[in-house]
Amino acid sequence: MRISLEQACHLLLHGDVVALPTETVYGLGASIAFPEAIQKIYAIKGRPSNNPLIIHLHSSASISSFASSLPEGFHALAEAFWPGPLTLVLPIFPETVPSIACAGLPTAAFRIPDHSLTRDLLKICGPLVMPSANLSGKPSATKSEHVELDFGQDFPVLDGGSCQKGLESTILIFRKGAWEIIRQGALAAEHFRSVLGYTPIVNTPTKGSVPLCPGQLYRHYAPKASLLLTKEPTGIVVGFSDRNYPSSSTIFSLGPLKDPALVAENLYSVLRQLDAEGITSAEVDIDFPDYGLWQTISERLHKAARQDVNEM
Ligand code: TXA
Ligand code: MG
């Protein structure tokens, strides 16, 4: 159900959950002033309670009321990339963040989204927690229709059009004297070099270790259709509009290889389209470069194709 900005505000300020647009993906928003609304988010999504949420702010001015310290490089990152698809994990004053939002951790994740409607809302309603607006494990929602498909036609959605980035924010944490990427995202690692003077490493959880980003534990981004990743796809193919495939193939196009930003924007829509068309298995073309946004696209596809991780 499409709602106006005023209705979204009213619902949030009365402890309800609404879906909101951001430049990355749609989010399920609740005010941090209403722990019961935050609890509702976990229930609606089917999200494990040990997977914390990102706190979305209107401006970085309020960060010092939550964060107990701001690591070296924080101000440069905030200046360069906020508002935008960057999330920073910071140590918090526990009394300022409801423990349900940060799953009881001594840190919380913060971001300032770059979408005018949601920024207007943040200005009026104050900080909001917002996980991606999809059922846990499924591809994220990049259009309001996707939200309605997952949560029903009556679920309140503030329609802000198609999400321009199409991939979630990049998450950074500061440890051992440097920022590290704990979730790849819409900002590629290379973007940070000119701001930090180094390219942050991508910290990938190893088997048996506790991941720095709890969400990495769970199955993600997966359509019902099973996906086979291959450099020579045939049959039902998720591929690129500027590449040739066998004439007997049915192509679900991600866009042209020459435009990774457009491929990123289309990715979740195409994965969802497979299910909408009743496709049960597809071959995904992974013959693409290994730099920039392609690394995030590759990570999402590998997660979407995995069958061997927790179903949540
Ligand atoms: O682009 C985005 O980031 C979107 C939009 C709506 O802003 N949000 C989003 O939220 O992707 P979600 O809940 O789907 O993913 C948040 C990730 C999870 O993997 C969670 O484990 C991690 O952030 N996270 C949250 N708090 C954390 C913390 N204190 N330490 C480490 N990771 C944290
Ligand atoms: Mg998510």
Side-chain angles (χ1 to χ4, degrees):
M1 180 179 52
R2 312 293 157 94
I3 56 169
S4 65
L5 189 87
E6 291 69 29
Q7 288 169 313
C9 256
H10 181 84
L11 289 168
L12 289 166
L13 293 174
H14 285 80
D16 268 311
V17 176
V18 296
L20 302 172
T22 83
E23 81 284 25
T24 58
V25 297
Y26 274 77
L28 280 188
S31 162
I32 66 160
F34 289 89
E36 14 7 306
I38 303 175
Q39 178 68 60
K40 231 189 271 177
I41 286 186
Y42 285 91
I44 293 171
K45 272 185 69 91
R47 182 179 178 106
S49 58
N50 65 353
N51 190 7
L53 306 173
I54 298 174
I55 299 171
H56 294 67
L57 304 172
H58 174 258
S59 87
S60 56
S62 57
I63 198 85
S64 48
S65 56
F66 298 106
S68 56
S69 70
L70 297 174
E72 179 190 309
F74 168 84
H75 291 290
L77 288 168
E79 173 106 341
F81 299 114
W82 279 350
L86 172 67
T87 293
L88 298 175
V89 174
L90 302 168
I92 48 165
F93 298 116
E95 61 279 12
T96 60
V97 176
S99 65
I100 184 154
C102 59
L105 293 173
T107 56
F110 297 90
R111 127 171 161 87
I112 301 178
D114 189 12
H115 191 292
S116 57
L117 287 177
T118 295
R119 288 203 73 211
D120 288 349
L121 262 184
L122 286 164
K123 192 165 189 183
I124 305 166
C125 301
L128 302 174
V129 293
M130 267 206 278
S132 51
N134 53 278
L135 291 170
S136 264
K138 296 289 164 209
S140 301
T142 54
K143 299 177 196 293
S144 45
E145 304 84 282
H146 298 161
V147 179
E148 290 168 341
L149 270 171
D150 278 15
F151 300 110
Q153 291 297 327
D154 291 339
F155 196 83
V157 185
L158 178 63
D159 186 1
S162 284
C163 299
Q164 187 230 329
K165 300 284 182 196
L167 295 172
E168 296 81 355
S169 60
T170 302
I171 306 182
L172 260 54
I173 194 168
F174 190 79
R175 60 195 290 272
K176 299 183 188 159
W179 291 92
E180 293 181 9
I181 294 175
I182 55 171
R183 179 180 72 181
Q184 291 170 290
L187 268 175
E190 295 89 312
H191 284 291
F192 298 103
R193 173 170 269 286
S194 61
V195 175
L196 293 173
Y198 60 92
T199 304
I201 61 155
V202 178
N203 185 305
T204 34
T206 49
K207 220 173 172 193
S209 71
V210 179
L212 292 167
C213 181
Q216 302 295 82
L217 275 172
Y218 299 104
R219 184 148 191 233
H220 263 92
Y221 321 117
K224 284 200 191 98
S226 66
L227 303 177
L228 176 73
L229 309 186
T230 166
K231 292 194 173 180
E232 289 186 9
T234 57
I236 294 174
V237 173
V238 174
F240 303 100
S241 54
D242 48 359
R243 176 166 286 159
N244 292 324
Y245 299 103
S247 56
S248 56
S249 306
T250 305
I251 314 298
F252 286 80
S253 175
L254 293 165
L257 266 174
K258 64 173 188 301
D259 191 352
L262 187 57
V263 171
E265 190 180 331
N266 292 334
L267 180 65
Y268 295 134
S269 242
V270 170
L271 296 184
R272 284 173 170 270
Q273 199 189 341
L274 296 174
D275 288 349
E277 298 199 13
I279 305 291
T280 54
S281 66
E283 300 198 0
V284 185
D285 187 354
I286 51 160
D287 189 6
F288 51 69
D290 182 27
Y291 57 79
L293 218 40
W294 289 113
Q295 292 180 330
T296 306
I297 294 166
S298 171
E299 190 265 349
R300 297 301 193 264
L301 286 173
H302 279 85
K303 280 245 168 75
R306 273 178 74 181
Q307 303 292 338
D308 61 330
V309 279
N310 191 314
E311 276 295 311
M312 295 305 285

